[in-house]
Amino acid sequence: MARHVFDKESNWFIDVNLPSRDTAVNRILLDLKQRNNTNRSAVFANALLDKLNGKVDLLRHSHRDANYVVLLSPETPAVLLEMGFITNHGDEHALGSEPYRRRFMDGVAAAIDTYFLQDAKFAVQ
């Protein structure tokens, strides 16, 4: 899926700069970049769940993988965060509550800070 999305012949809107003129080498480099990004995304997702746990209700198995295009970029780690479902009356009520949204966003902000502090720590070592 990812190879198709980022294949120059697929007319996709994301341009990935890969250094080699050899297609096979570029596919290997793309795979390595995406694998690294998938790992970095998982680190952030775990930090996010850790910081949200106890602040808001979480599903039992909250961390899942998906092949959504927004999550496939080899350039930027990404997670998809669902705060609730508007069709669920409990979620709708919680999302309408400013204190709930504040707790939720405080957890998200703490996870972002934790992620970048870890990233900076590894960069310095």
Side-chain angles (χ1 to χ4, degrees):
M1 169 71 169
R3 282 193 186 102
H4 172 72
V5 168
F6 294 106
D7 185 359
K8 293 219 184 262
E9 294 148 13
S10 71
N11 296 320
W12 189 248
F13 64 89
I14 297 174
D15 183 26
V16 178
N17 257 340
L18 296 170
S20 179
R21 291 186 178 166
D22 185 317
T23 304
V25 171
N26 279 339
R27 287 189 189 277
I28 292 168
L29 291 173
L30 178 61
D31 183 56
L32 290 171
K33 286 179 85 166
Q34 283 193 293
R35 189 171 305 176
N36 179 57
N37 236 20
T38 299
N39 292 338
R40 292 179 69 203
S41 296
V43 167
F44 178 63
N46 288 330
L48 190 57
L49 291 174
D50 181 56
K51 297 301 179 185
L52 290 174
N53 192 24
K55 291 184 182 346
V56 297
D57 292 335
L58 297 173
L59 296 176
R60 189 173 313 161
H61 301 288
S62 295
H63 186 176
R64 300 177 187 153
D65 294 318
N67 282 330
Y68 297 127
V69 172
V70 295
L71 301 175
L72 293 176
S73 170
E75 304 293 332
T76 307
V79 298
L80 178 63
L81 174 64
E82 293 179 336
M83 295 176 63
F85 300 95
I86 206 71
T87 56
N88 177 301
H89 294 297
D91 288 350
E92 180 185 15
H93 179 72
L95 292 170
S97 161
E98 184 177 343
Y100 178 84
R101 290 192 313 269
R102 187 171 307 280
R103 283 195 319 273
F104 211 117
M105 288 302 104
D106 285 347
V108 171
I112 292 169
D113 289 343
T114 297
Y115 175 80
F116 282 108
L117 284 173
Q118 287 175 342
D119 217 28
K121 182 177 86 175
F122 292 125
V124 171
Q125 291 178 349

